[in-house]
Structure formats: C-alpha cells, structure tokens
Amino acid sequence: MDFKLRVWRQKNRGDKGRFETYEAKGISSEASVLEMLDVVNRGLVAVGKDAIAFDHDCREGICGSCGIVINGGVHGPFEHNTTCELRMRRFSDGDTITIEPFRVRAFPIIKDLVVDRTAFDRIMQAGGYVTVKTGQAPEANNIAVPKKIADEAMDAAQCVGCGACAATCPNGSAMLFVAAKVSQLALLPQGKAERKERVLSMVAQMDKEGFGACSNSYACEAKCPKSVSVSHIARMNREFLRAGFGS
Amino acid sequence: MKLDPRTPSGPIEKRWSTRKFDMKLVNPANRRKYTVIIVGTGLAGSSAAASLAELGYNVECFTFHESARRAHSIAAQGGINAAKNYVNDGDSVWRLFHDTIKGGDYRARESNVYRLAEVSGNIIDQCVAQGVPFAREYGGSLDTRSFGGAQLSRTFYARGQTGQQLLLGAYSALMRNVKNGSVKVHGRKEMLDIIVIDGRARGIVVRDLVTGEVTTHLANAVIMATGGYGNVFYLSTNAVASNVSGLMKAWRKGAYLANPCYTQIHPTCIPVSGDYQSKLTLMSESLRNDGRVWVPKKKGDGRSPELIPESERDYYLERMYPSFGNLVPRDVASRRAKEMCDLGLGVGKTGLSVYLDFGDSIKRLGQPVMAEKYGNLMDMYHEITNEDPYKQPMRIYPAVHYTMGGLWVDYHLQSSIPGLFVAGEANFSDHGANRLGASALMQGLADGYFVLPYTVGDYLADTKFEAVKADAPEVAAGAKEVRVGIDRLMNVNGKVPADDFHRRLGHVMWEKVGMAREKAGLETAISEIQTIRKDFWKDLKVSGSDKDLNQEVEKAGRVADFIDFGELLARDALHREESCGGHFRVEHQTEEGETRRDDQNYAYAAAWQYAGEGAAPLLNKDELSFEYDIPSNRNYK
Ligand SMILES: Cc1cc2nc3c(=O)[nH]c(=O)nc-3n(C[C@H](O)[C@H](O)[C@H](O)COP(=O)(O)OP(=O)(O)OC[C@H]3O[C@@H](n4cnc5c(N)ncnc54)[C@H](O)[C@@H]3O)c2cc1C
Ligand code: FES
C-alpha cells in the first residue's frame, strides 16, 4: 500500500513546529502504523535526514508508550486500540494520513511526536498506592475478595497510562486515568484504609498538573485502549464527596 | 580469578535463613548515608528500589523509559508461580524446587533455586497486600492455573496481564517512596558505563536521552536490573527497546557473563508474516491449558482446518508425551513444532506454523468462559492476523522469548565486580538452561523484594568506603569514554541505518544460533557476525545530532553491543558440546531427538571474562554440584 503522510515535526519544546510531507511506499497491509513509520525513518536516515521521533516499546498495546493523533483521532480514527495495534489494512491505499502528537497542556511536547507524560507519575505519587512495606504483608488468602469485586477492580486496573483519555477530552482532563486507580483501590479491601486521603491528594495533584475539568462528555471511554468504563469516574466522584464530608 | 559462588552449606532448607542470620547489618540511623544506584525499573528494579528505600537507604533509580511503569515487565501475560498449595494438589517448596531444577535441565545452583521456591509464597502475599487484582474464585480466594513443565496448579494470574499488574504494584510502592523522598527516579536516562574504583562498583555514567548530556553518578553499590537480551535475535517477543548494553558495559569493566547461549524459544507466538516486522507477539503459554496443538497428517494438506477430520490430524504433543501432552516444557514444544514444519507438515501461507486449537474447550466451557480467561489474547491475535481464534484454530510458531544467561552472580546476587549486584532477567542465576513458565516474574520479585535488601545491606556493612570525589580520575575517564564512544558512532557517516545491521545480525542468530545449533553453523555464524561488525563500523549512518532526543543514536549504540554480544553467545554455544534445556546441539541428541546432556564434562556455568577489544574472551567454570536433586534425564513422556 502507498500513503502520503503529513507529520508534525518539532525540534524541541521551544520550537514552533510544522507539518512536513512524506511518502510511505510499498507498506504491507499487516504492518502497524509504527512499523510504517519505521520504514519511512529508514529512508530518512539513509539520506542523512532526522528520523521522526515517536515513543514506543512493547508494540502490543500494554506498555502505554505509544500514542499519537492520526487523522484527528487519538490512537487513530477507531476505538479501543493503541497506536501500535493499529494495522494499515484499516486504511485505504493512496490515503493521505495526518500524524501529530497528543495535544494536552499537561503533556508538553519533547520532540516531534514525543510528549512528556510524567504528570501521571506525579499523580500516582500523590496516592496511587496502598501503604504496605516489603515484608509487612499478611498471608494472601486471609484477604478474601469476592470474584465480582476482584473483576471490577481488574477492569479499572488495566489502564495502560497512555494518556489517550486526556488527549481525547475536549478539556484535556485526566479523570479517567485518575478514576481508574482510585476506583481499583476503593473496591479492594486492601485499599480501604487510605481511601480518603488517596482521592483528595490524587485529585489535587491532577489539578496542579494543569489537566482540565471533566464535563462528562465521555469521549475518553470510547478511546480508551482497555475500555476502562466511565463508571469509575462516578465512583471516584462519590469517593471524593465522601472524603469531603469527613468520615 | 577464582569464582566464589558463596553458596552456603548445611541442610538446604536452612541455608537462606542461616545466611541471613550471619549477615552484617547496617544501623538504621546510618542507612541514609549509603547511596544505592539501581539501573532498570522492571519488576526486579522497582521492587528492589522500593524495598531498599523502605529500609532507609538513599536510592537513585535510572531507566531509559519515560516512566518506571513502562519497563518491559509490563508485557508479561500468563502468570507467576508460587508454592502455596492452595488447591491441595501436593505442591510444596520442595516440589517447586525440584520442578525448577529439572526444568532447567540440571544447570542451575541448588541453593539459589531452593531460596527462590522458599520465598515464592511471600511474593504473592506482598502483591496482594499492594492491591494487585489477581484472579479469584467465587468464594473470594485466589485462583490458580497450570503452566508448562508442571503437573500442578500453582500459577497465580491477573487475566492475561499478570506482568502489568505486578509491575504496577511494584511501581506503586516505588512511587510512594518517591513521594516520601527516599528514592529519586531518573527517567529517559540511559546507563552507558559503570564506574569501578579500587575494584569496586562506585557509580555509573548516563546519557540524558532528551538533551544528550552525559553525566556521572556515584554510589556505594550499583544494582543492574536491565532485563534480558532476546533482541540479539532482532525479532523476539521482547519490547523493541530491550537491549544488552547494560550487560556489555559491565562485562567490559570486568563482570563475567554466564551462559549466554541459554536462550529460550517460546512455542506459542504469532508467526512471522513479513520483513517489515519489528517484533513478534507472544500468545501466552497458558493457552496450552485449553488448546490442543496439531498439524495435518498429510504433507501439504491445503484444506482449511475445519475441513480436516479428526482422523487426519496429528495431535503430536499428546501422541509423543502422553503424561504432559500439550503442557510439555517450552524447549520441547518449540523443537517439535520446528520439526513438524521441517517435515513439510506446517500450516499457513508460509508453512511455518502449527495449529493451536480451542475448539474442544469452547465446546466444553462455552465461548464466554474462554473469553473471560483469554479474552485479551484472543482479541490481540484477531487484530494482528485478521483471523478469529474462536472460529478457527490459532496459528503459532516458536520465537525467541527469554534469556536464561546473564551476568554471573554469586548467592548474594553480586557479580564478579564487588558492589555490582544483578537482579531479574539480567542475571543468570536460577533457571539453568531453561526457564519454566511463570517463573521469571517470581524470580524478578524474589530478587528485588526478598534477596537484595539483605545482601546489599551485608555488603554495605562489611565494606570500608573511601569517599569518591566527583572529579576523581576514574569518574572523569568514565564520562570521557562514553563521549568518545558516541562520537565514534556519529562519525562513521556511512549510508546504512543501525536497524539494518540489527536485522542482519538477527537473521544469522536465528538461522545458525537459534533452535538447533551445529558446529559448522556456529563457526560460520561467528565469521558472519565479524563481517557485520566490520560493515557496521564502515557503513553506519546516524542522522541528526547527539545533543537532543535522537533515537538513532540510542539504537546505534545498542546494535554495536548486540553485535559483540552475538559473537560471544555463538562462542558459548560452540564450546558447550552437549544439549541441555534451550541449548540444542544437533550433534548431541538421543535417538528420540531429545537433548543429551553431558554431566561429566559440562555440569558448570560458563562465566566468560572480557580480555580486551578483539581478544578471545576467557572461560571460567563455576562448577555445579547436586546434593538433593540428582540429575536424571528429563522425561516428560
Ligand atoms: C511477552 C512476554 C510475556 C512474558 N510472560 C511472562 C509470564 O507470564 N510469566 C513470567 O514469569 N515471565 C514472563 N515473561 C518474562 C518476564 O516478563 C521477564 O523476564 C521479566 O519481566 C524481566 O523483568 P526485569 O525486571 O528483569 O527486566 P525488565 O522488565 O526488562 O526491565 C528492564 C529495565 O531496565 C531498564 N534498562 C535497561 N537497560 C538500561 C540502561 N542501559 N540504562 C537505563 N535503563 C536501562 C529499562 O528501562 C527497564 O526499566 C514474559 C516475557 C515476555 C517478553
Ligand atoms: S508501544 Fe506499548 S502500548 Fe504501544
């Protein structure tokens, strides 16, 4: 397959950035978008031009490294996939494809398609954990967790931290990311002791990082590669109210 | 140098507790004065960092990833072993010990393996307490499943994302310690050398991947948890950035590399479909619980699988290994799949795959149950191949997956450089010549949570440290060497991207140093690798600048190390005139095509020592002895 690519090039944080056009020729329909970029990059490097920088690693939808906007869609025009999982057979031969970085205030652009998502780490530092030191744990089966609860916690815990929720949200809100963790730990008995401080500090850090507010557009759920449900946002809101009223 | 593995003696079940009791302790009030550098934030690195920080040491963590949570451990699918015996099927520490020793084809140290089995239960406790949402039974207790090489159900799992959940658990502990100021995580920083002063590891040199700046960092001890080297084959199930540079830098500074030829080929991966491909995708081994492997009995049978009647299918694993059936260990399953394809019985367009059929399980359990167990794997397969595994059997083929070899370590996980410790897949310690499924996660977390916190403390307490100044000659020289190395890559100025050399190397490795190895092939491989090295330093092109984020600079450095390492791996394979576990020498097999070990001559770990650029590496032998589990032939029939 042949494609024409319009790719966002930006040297560094301070640079203004611009679109540049490239040809991608003879691409296998089974190749992923990232594998297509590999082919383009090989051509660029061979003639001494700067390769297009993009984050990636596992290339199977789990590490959360990849993440670009393709034809206006976060991780591409479809739902529930990461960029690395998107195969070229989903496009038509001869298509012009526009590729740009996630545009979120809290994710500054580092270069080309690479953004800085360390805001997510700082939100996790604020309370995305259960305080238990190594060696303090009781025998595992002493903590019974009904299957239904464990499954629901797992649904939330699947978040890969790619930032698609924030990138797709009209307000650049990270509610789905934060809610996934708050909800997972609120559901499990292990997380109950710290539930109040957790939700308050994580939300405070999210605001501090410059993420926008949630206006319930629910665009995030549709785009989430792991289909994390917005019902976790509802649970987080309840947790937040509960924490606010004291305990 | 004489290798001292520091293995304890006495009854094996007391060795670890006795050793812990004998260890020196650092006074809690003094711990803050000790800095420990940890390279890597996968399961091994994150768990070690969090645990050492909790003890009070000053911990500095480095990773080339953006965030600790993106380490390759995140991709592990199937599960983690532990000898809990929750299902009353007769599991015990002894049995896990025995399975691991036997699975490793009697090429691992008994003391280490026993300790691993001994702490396995604590790992599950720790992870559950952190909030890892393991799969549960309806009554609320933990669910388990079986994995290849074991006849028991001892594998704990979180759907098909066990590695993700365990890493997020360790990462959350790490983040908590960042918040309270006891750890600093340096993301997008690549370690490019170790600083050794007076024979001890005292720091590292790193390159900032965003600015290109080279800096030095000093410490009292350094832990390497940089993962495995499967990508020396170019195509593997490893994440694309996983590399061997950390190991090679340590090797050139005097740490020994042990058993590089012990590589594991995983039997159930999505087959290769084209040369654009950047990686291979694993379909977790857990699928073999509910899937049956077969090929058509007739050569070149072009019918689609549902049209081939039962009587014309060869369920060859069930036929050859009636007691383990589809759950034989990975090396056996892989070799048999290759053999079937070599016989012309392979399926798919390329003839390089075999079927993994869920038809019977779907009939028995129903699609919803199967979806609950394996949904994400089924979807992943469907997306990649455009074939629906609920409707037609999966097509699978072996691919490089895990590397048992790594830096040589003693019982304390210390390398041959005092003060340099190695954890997780980066060390060679516990799996011998073949790792059992679901045991890598167990080992990474055992090392990080339950071994290093003791052994590193013992080292710190037992060592008198001279203060090292930031401008000491060894420190300045380390930084300079790294800068010179980068300049050398930038200045080749040929026309060929680093990736192309990596691909060429991978091809040689897979064809001649892969699943079946032969003397002549290995010798050709070594000379071909030497040619690739020459071409690399003549034709390499790194475009752009090394003063900003430039992934070509990163790749070029890694490929240079892969080339050197590939040669070492081939040499190790050539020297080991026996077959064991993942190392299969065509010359050494039984009539039935199984591995034939030579315990007389090869019951040792081969620890290779760097002897200078261009010089042949030196072999040191770390002899293995077996007191509890007397080597027998592995028999899975
Ligand atoms: C697809 C797949 C599925 C698997 N499934 C299972 C399973 O079900 N059960 C099981 O037990 N095992 C499984 N394994 C194996 C297991 O995942 C790995 O062996 C294990 O996670 C390795 O962990 P680690 O901490 O040693 O290294 P990694 O997780 O690879 O981490 C390495 C770290 O080192 C850093 N690093 C490396 N070099 C440098 C450098 N030079 N400078 C700075 N940082 C550096 C990286 O950034 C990263 O943080 C699987 C492996 C694969 C590929
Ligand atoms: S590269 Fe890991 S999720 Fe896409």
Side-chain angles (χ1 to χ4, degrees):
Chain A
M1 302 175 89
D2 296 339
F3 304 98
K4 201 165 137 192
L5 308 183
R6 289 177 64 238
V7 182
W8 184 259
R9 301 305 303 263
Q10 178 172 338
K11 231 185 139 23
N12 49 41
R13 210 180 234 211
D15 184 19
K16 258 180 55 198
R18 75 221 82 77
F19 280 106
E20 284 189 16
T21 311
Y22 304 95
E23 305 278 343
K25 290 219 153 102
I27 305 294
S28 161
S29 60
E30 302 303 306
S32 68
V33 174
L34 300 186
E35 287 168 335
M36 173 187 68
L37 287 177
D38 290 341
V39 174
V40 172
N41 272 344
R42 220 170 280 147
L44 289 175
V45 174
V47 298
K49 294 207 174 123
D50 261 19
I52 302 160
F54 59 91
D55 259 335
H56 65 97
D57 197 17
C58 73
R59 298 207 175 188
E60 54 188 51
I62 191 76
C63 73
S65 296
C66 65
I68 51 185
V69 177
I70 301 162
N71 289 343
V74 168
H75 288 312
F78 309 99
E79 296 190 345
H80 306 311
N81 62 272
T82 56
T83 301
C84 59
E85 291 173 306
L86 180 58
R87 308 279 146 178
M88 297 317 292
R89 74 173 103 86
R90 303 276 211 123
F91 296 87
S92 307
D93 195 24
D95 275 0
T96 296
I97 302 177
T98 302
I99 295 181
E100 50 191 319
F102 281 2
R103 310 253 183 213
V104 179
R105 189 151 64 103
F107 297 159
I109 294 175
I110 297 178
K111 183 177 178 181
D112 298 341
L113 307 173
V114 178
V115 298
D116 178 354
R117 286 166 292 189
T118 48
F120 276 5
D121 285 339
R122 291 185 292 273
I123 294 174
M124 285 290 289
Q125 286 157 23
Y129 47 75
V130 172
T131 300
V132 52
K133 291 188 183 173
T134 302
Q136 283 180 334
E139 155 55 42
N141 253 352
N142 286 352
I143 311 172
V145 183
K147 182 168 173 5
K148 194 172 158 290
I149 302 284
D151 285 348
E152 207 179 344
M154 181 62 198
D155 289 339
Q158 289 189 83
C159 165
V160 298
C162 64
C165 45
T168 213
C169 174
N171 315 321
S173 165
M175 279 295 263
L176 194 59
F177 170 79
V178 181
K181 192 47 70 180
V182 168
S183 179
Q184 173 201 343
L185 296 179
L187 279 160
L188 295 171
Q190 302 92 303
K192 299 269 198 260
E194 294 166 289
R195 64 198 287 188
K196 181 175 156 188
E197 304 88 86
R198 176 177 307 114
V199 66
L200 294 177
S201 343
M202 288 181 80
V203 168
Q205 189 65 33
M206 170 175 81
D207 293 343
K208 196 166 142 202
E209 295 290 345
F211 289 103
C214 172
S215 53
N216 304 320
S217 84
Y218 297 158
C220 50
E221 179 181 305
K223 273 294 169 187
C224 174
K226 295 293 165 200
S227 312
V228 173
S229 154
V230 291
S231 65
H232 297 292
I233 297 185
R235 178 171 297 107
M236 175 162 91
N237 286 335
R238 289 196 298 274
E239 287 289 306
F240 192 78
L241 285 175
R242 197 168 168 273
F245 287 124
S247 46
Chain B
M1 193 176 93
K2 173 98 180 67
L3 289 172
D4 179 7
R6 288 201 275 173
T7 35
S9 47
I12 199 164
E13 61 275 27
K14 298 242 169 69
R15 287 182 189 172
W16 178 230
S17 48
T18 312
R19 179 56 57 90
K20 279 193 290 189
F21 181 72
D22 290 341
M23 281 183 192
K24 299 218 166 56
L25 300 173
V26 181
N27 180 330
N30 285 337
R31 291 187 192 147
R32 203 65 212 151
K33 295 184 199 144
Y34 291 103
T35 298
V36 180
I37 283 180
I38 299 179
V39 186
T41 60
L43 284 178
S46 288
S47 57
S51 307
L52 285 160
E54 283 161 8
L55 287 172
Y57 300 106
N58 179 40
V59 177
E60 303 257 344
C61 250
F62 294 82
T63 164
F64 60 67
H65 284 102
E66 169 195 32
S67 159
R69 67 179 289 160
R70 309 219 190 277
H72 163 63
S73 293
I74 202 91
Q77 301 172 351
I80 176 167
N81 288 332
K84 285 281 202 188
N85 194 29
Y86 283 162
V87 289
N88 199 28
D89 56 0
D91 202 7
S92 62
V93 169
W94 275 105
R95 206 179 270 277
L96 177 54
F97 162 73
H98 171 76
D99 286 349
T100 309
I101 289 280
K102 175 183 174 201
D105 219 354
Y106 303 93
R107 288 293 172 265
R109 258 187 228 137
E110 282 189 329
S111 298
N112 286 59
V113 173
Y114 192 91
R115 174 178 65 192
L116 177 65
E118 187 180 333
V119 302
S120 64
N122 300 99
I123 297 172
I124 302 301
D125 299 343
Q126 191 64 33
C127 297
V128 165
Q130 287 166 346
V132 169
F134 280 119
R136 300 271 170 172
E137 313 252 14
Y138 282 98
S141 43
L142 290 153
D143 191 17
T144 50
R145 58 189 176 199
S146 11
F147 243 57
Q151 285 165 311
L152 303 156
S153 183
R154 64 156 77 97
T155 305
F156 295 78
Y157 65 101
R159 286 190 200 147
Q161 289 124 284
T162 315
Q164 179 196 30
Q165 295 311 313
L166 296 177
L167 182 59
L168 292 180
Y171 160 82
S172 73
L174 181 63
M175 290 299 106
R176 183 167 59 76
N177 285 290
V178 169
K179 164 85 167 305
N180 67 30
S182 40
V183 186
K184 191 157 189 283
V185 179
H186 306 261
R188 295 196 194 270
K189 301 267 193 306
E190 182 158 22
M191 183 274 279
L192 290 180
D193 214 349
I194 307 254
I195 298 172
V196 180
I197 300 179
D198 294 335
R200 295 183 183 278
R202 293 304 302 270
I204 60 172
V205 184
V206 306
R207 177 170 179 269
D208 183 318
L209 300 184
V210 176
T211 64
E213 194 191 359
V214 172
T215 52
T216 51
H217 303 263
L218 297 173
N220 300 91
V222 176
I223 298 172
M224 300 248 308
T226 51
Y229 51 80
N231 281 345
V232 67
F233 291 85
Y234 187 67
L235 287 183
S236 83
T237 61
N238 288 11
V240 175
S242 297
N243 67 79
V244 77
S245 292
L247 303 195
M248 287 305 273
K249 309 301 183 196
W251 187 57
R252 293 198 194 93
K253 280 275 143 72
Y256 295 177
L257 263 167
N259 301 335
C261 80
Y262 292 164
T263 52
Q264 181 169 80
I265 314 267
H266 198 292
T268 54
C269 302
I270 301 182
V272 177
S273 65
D275 66 1
Y276 61 87
Q277 220 157 332
S278 56
K279 78 159 291 178
L280 295 173
T281 302
L282 174 76
M283 287 289 108
S284 168
E285 167 160 45
S286 57
L287 289 168
R288 286 200 272 149
N289 271 311
D290 287 303
R292 302 178 67 195
V293 176
W294 64 275
V295 291
K297 283 188 176 158
K298 207 166 67 210
K299 251 187 217 179
D301 191 331
R303 287 175 293 176
S304 81
E306 69 280 6
L307 298 177
I308 303 181
E310 279 295 315
S311 61
E312 293 174 45
R313 300 174 175 194
D314 181 10
Y315 294 91
Y316 58 90
L317 291 178
E318 298 172 19
R319 173 170 57 81
M320 296 175 182
Y321 305 97
S323 69
F324 278 71
N326 294 295
L327 289 174
V328 289
R330 294 174 172 177
D331 54 330
V332 178
S334 294
R335 255 194 323 275
R336 293 301 182 192
K338 178 176 189 295
E339 207 172 272
M340 291 297 147
C341 295
D342 290 350
L343 287 173
L345 296 166
V347 299
K349 251 188 276 169
T350 56
L352 284 180
S353 54
V354 300
Y355 289 127
L356 178 61
D357 200 330
F358 304 105
D360 288 352
S361 295
I362 293 174
K363 253 187 245 142
R364 184 165 44 91
L365 303 168
Q367 185 165 329
V369 173
M370 288 294 283
E372 185 180 344
K373 281 179 145 171
Y374 309 111
N376 70 318
L377 296 170
M378 298 295 203
D379 295 348
M380 202 193 274
Y381 180 86
H382 194 166
E383 178 62 37
I384 292 176
T385 60
N386 217 6
E387 296 169 4
D388 182 353
Y390 292 112
K391 299 216 170 78
Q392 66 192 92
M394 274 187 183
R395 284 180 307 105
I396 52 161
Y397 198 64
V400 173
H401 176 58
Y402 181 86
T403 53
M404 282 73 68
L407 289 175
W408 180 89
V409 288
D410 63 16
Y411 187 68
H412 290 214
L413 304 183
Q414 181 173 260
S415 72
S416 46
I417 303 176
L420 179 67
F421 294 79
V422 193
E425 194 172 338
N427 73 27
F428 89 114
S429 67
D430 296 355
H431 307 294
N434 176 53
R435 171 178 70 81
L436 293 182
S439 284
L441 302 181
M442 171 173 72
Q443 180 229 328
L445 291 178
D447 291 357
Y449 284 134
F450 298 113
V451 180
L452 288 172
Y454 295 94
T455 60
V456 170
D458 177 61
Y459 171 76
L460 295 173
D462 199 33
T463 307
K464 206 167 161 297
F465 291 98
E466 303 287 335
V468 178
K469 292 224 178 69
D471 59 356
E474 293 91 341
V475 180
K480 184 159 170 229
E481 237 173 83
V482 165
R483 266 186 233 109
V484 168
I486 295 169
D487 288 345
R488 188 166 166 223
L489 293 168
M490 300 301 294
N491 295 336
V492 179
N493 219 1
K495 288 207 156 38
V496 184
D499 241 5
D500 290 22
F501 295 101
H502 195 177
R503 207 178 282 259
R504 258 175 79 189
L505 174 70
H507 189 75
V508 173
M509 298 301 293
W510 179 247
E511 291 300 327
K512 305 198 170 78
V513 200
M515 245 184 292
R517 301 157 173 176
E518 213 167 348
K519 183 162 190 280
L522 290 168
E523 284 166 350
T524 323
I526 292 172
S527 90
E528 286 177 0
I529 296 168
Q530 289 167 343
T531 310
I532 296 174
R533 179 185 301 116
K534 264 195 217 113
D535 294 349
F536 180 87
W537 290 109
K538 185 161 60 66
D539 299 331
L540 171 72
K541 176 74 198 177
V542 180
S543 59
S545 151
D546 64 308
K547 299 292 181 306
D548 64 5
L549 193 155
N550 185 345
Q551 291 159 329
E552 289 301 312
V553 178
E554 299 165 30
K555 261 192 254 176
R558 293 170 191 166
V559 173
D561 286 327
F562 274 132
I563 295 173
D564 291 353
F565 180 78
E567 184 179 337
L568 181 68
L569 196 164
R571 277 181 193 281
D572 186 41
L574 182 61
H575 116 280
R576 190 167 281 279
E577 289 280 353
E578 65 162 352
S579 293
C580 55
H583 171 62
F584 190 73
R585 282 287 300 266
V586 175
E587 302 93 324
H588 305 287
Q589 53 181 311
T590 62
E591 292 74 53
E592 292 147 325
E594 307 288 353
T595 52
R596 176 178 280 144
R597 280 193 333 261
D598 176 355
D599 292 331
Q600 282 283 312
N601 297 302
Y602 289 95
Y604 61 78
W608 296 94
Q609 181 180 359
Y610 181 65
E613 208 173 316
L618 306 173
L619 175 63
N620 297 273
K621 296 179 184 176
D622 176 9
E623 300 288 345
L624 299 167
S625 57
F626 295 89
E627 293 171 58
Y628 290 87
D629 210 330
I630 305 307
S632 62
N633 279 334
R634 287 196 312 165
N635 181 356
Y636 291 96
K637 306 211 173 218

